[in-house]
């Protein structure tokens, strides 16, 4: 927990643990989104509009869903017809398919919290939305960062309420 100048512990807020996260737009090609997520080791992606406001957050499983052609998702038996040599390369055949082409209908509500949200609010939203990534926004709805599930859990464990670095009583 952060400590104020008078020595008192103050509760952590979303803005305290938010990290800079890369974003994509609906116009970005899916292959770029997959690569960005892989290179940055992200559990999902934040899709922003032209003003930099989160339009929606795609958990990694949904990003993967963008990369798997619809025919294979609709008919799992079809996946067995592809030889092993080509089965590992399916995502390279996405061409110019964009993130916007793959947005689920209806468009999901953005998984966002304000920077002054408590960590409990962040955790509850992640659980409710089944999202390992939450976008943190300012009072104008502009993206200020993101919180991954790993970052949230680490922050709760390390900065827990006890005096032993969040690891309980020492023995």
């Amino acid at each position: 927990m952060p400590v104020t100048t008078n020595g008192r512990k103050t509760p952590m807020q979303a803005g305290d643990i938010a990290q800079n996260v890369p974003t994509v737009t609906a116009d970005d090609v899916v292959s770029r989104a997959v690569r960005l997520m892989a290179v940055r080791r992200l559990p999902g992606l934040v899709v922003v509009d032209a003003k930099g406001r989160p339009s929606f957050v795609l958990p990694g499983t949904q990003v993967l869903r963008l990369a798997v052609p619809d025919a294979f998702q609709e008919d799992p038996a079809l996946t067995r017809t592809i030889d092993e040599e080509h089965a590992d390369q399916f995502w390279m055949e996405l061409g110019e398919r964009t993130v916007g082409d793959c947005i689920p209908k209806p468009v999901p509500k953005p998984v966002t919290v304000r920077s002054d949200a408590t960590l409990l609010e962040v955790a509850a939203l992640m659980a409710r939305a089944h999202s390992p990534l939450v976008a943190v926004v300012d009072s104008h709805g502009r993206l200020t960062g993101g919180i991954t599930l790993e970052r949230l859990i680490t922050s709760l464990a390390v900065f827990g309420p006890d005096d032993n670095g969040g690891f309980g009583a020492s023995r």
Side-chain angles (χ1 to χ4, degrees):
M1 294 188 140
V3 178
T4 62
T5 54
N6 66 5
R8 291 183 48 209
K9 291 182 179 181
T10 60
M12 291 186 68
Q13 296 180 325
D16 296 327
I17 66 168
Q19 300 172 275
N20 186 16
V21 292
T23 60
V24 295
T25 68
D27 295 329
D28 283 320
V29 293
V30 172
S31 58
R32 178 185 181 276
V34 171
R35 281 188 182 98
L36 182 62
M37 197 175 94
V39 169
R40 295 292 299 269
R41 301 177 60 104
L42 295 169
L45 291 172
V46 177
V47 181
V48 296
D49 64 16
K51 295 182 179 180
R53 293 182 307 233
S55 298
F56 50 93
V57 174
L58 288 174
T61 54
Q62 293 302 309
V63 174
L64 183 60
R65 189 169 166 253
L66 300 178
V68 177
D70 293 338
F72 294 113
Q73 292 181 52
E74 293 167 11
D75 184 4
L78 188 59
T79 61
R80 289 185 222 103
T81 66
I82 306 299
D83 62 64
E84 287 183 31
E85 182 180 331
H86 292 96
D88 294 345
Q89 299 174 10
F90 69 89
W91 75 280
M92 294 178 174
E93 298 172 10
L94 293 170
E96 296 301 310
R97 190 174 187 193
T98 66
V99 171
D101 294 336
C102 308
I103 297 171
K105 303 293 186 234
V107 176
K109 183 180 175 189
V111 182
T112 61
V113 295
R114 289 195 29 174
S115 58
D116 62 352
T118 66
L119 298 191
L120 176 58
E121 290 174 283
V122 175
L125 177 60
M126 280 184 174
R128 186 172 57 253
H130 303 279
S131 181
L133 177 65
V134 170
V136 180
V137 297
D138 64 16
S139 60
H140 302 290
R142 290 183 302 252
L143 184 69
T144 62
I147 301 172
T148 63
L149 177 60
E150 177 185 18
R151 179 83 169 183
L152 175 65
I153 290 174
T154 299
S155 297
L156 291 171
V158 173
F159 300 110
D162 59 51
D163 292 329
N164 295 317
F167 297 105
S170 57
R171 295 177 194 234

